[in-house]
Amino acid sequence: MVTCDFCGRQEPDASASPTWTTSVEGRVTRRYCDTCSREHLRAMEAKLDREHW
């Protein structure tokens, strides 16, 4: 199971989430669903920590 670290959406099958985004923030791996990834794309590209979104 994969859980979005922003909105909490869950995907029971990890292989069914190829459009999700993975980031590493301070040695912590975070995963974001496709909806949150699209909504916060500019912040991710600017490498802003999740707290700034």
Side-chain angles (χ1 to χ4, degrees):
M1 176 163 309
V2 180
T3 303
C4 178
D5 286 310
F6 194 77
C7 71
R9 177 177 149 194
Q10 294 184 331
E11 181 65 54
D13 182 9
S15 65
S17 58
T19 58
W20 286 37
T21 303
T22 302
S23 73
V24 178
E25 298 174 18
R27 296 185 181 168
V28 177
T29 301
R30 300 189 185 269
R31 296 197 171 115
Y32 304 105
C33 67
D34 49 355
T35 302
C36 289
S37 296
R38 286 187 196 104
E39 186 174 327
H40 302 290
L41 180 63
R42 290 184 188 263
M44 289 177 180
E45 288 179 341
K47 300 195 188 290
L48 295 175
D49 286 341
R50 186 172 58 116
E51 292 78 30
H52 294 285
W53 302 357

